[in-house]
Amino acid sequence: CTSACESSTVAGLNIRAAPTTASRVVGKLSSAGSSVQVECFTRGQAIHGQTIWYRISAPHRGYVTGYYVRADSTTRTNTPRC
């Protein structure tokens, strides 16, 4: 993976069309540790108090909550806002 490649911490994580659980599911990460390519971040619906959502480009394009994404300090500081 190139820079800003992170991974999910749970199996079956939904990838959403918008940063809220009310939006359409556009894909799903099959297993914990699945790689995701982060493009940018935004604020959205709070999940367990976490309001950061990442827009990802792979394996599907859409949004995943930051609560379930393992992001290193480089990603957290260098990822642009959407």
Side-chain angles (χ1 to χ4, degrees), residues 1-10 13-15 27-40 53-66 68-72 75 79:
C1 233
T2 59
S3 64
C5 183
E6 305 308 332
S7 62
S8 67
T9 61
V10 295
L13 180 62
N14 288 327
I15 301 168
K28 190 175 285 248
L29 299 176
S30 59
S31 62
S34 294
S35 293
V36 294
Q37 182 67 41
V38 174
E39 292 183 329
C40 59
W53 286 69
Y54 293 110
R55 187 172 72 203
I56 63 171
S57 58
H60 303 282
R61 183 156 186 161
Y63 291 88
V64 293
T65 174
Y68 294 116
V69 173
R70 183 178 298 115
D72 64 23
T75 296
T79 300

Side-chain angles (χ1 to χ4, degrees), residues 35-52:
S35 293
V36 294
Q37 182 67 41
V38 174
E39 292 183 329
C40 59
F41 80 93
T42 191
R43 299 273 180 191
Q45 177 188 358
I47 305 297
H48 301 287
Q50 171 63 271
T51 60
I52 297 292

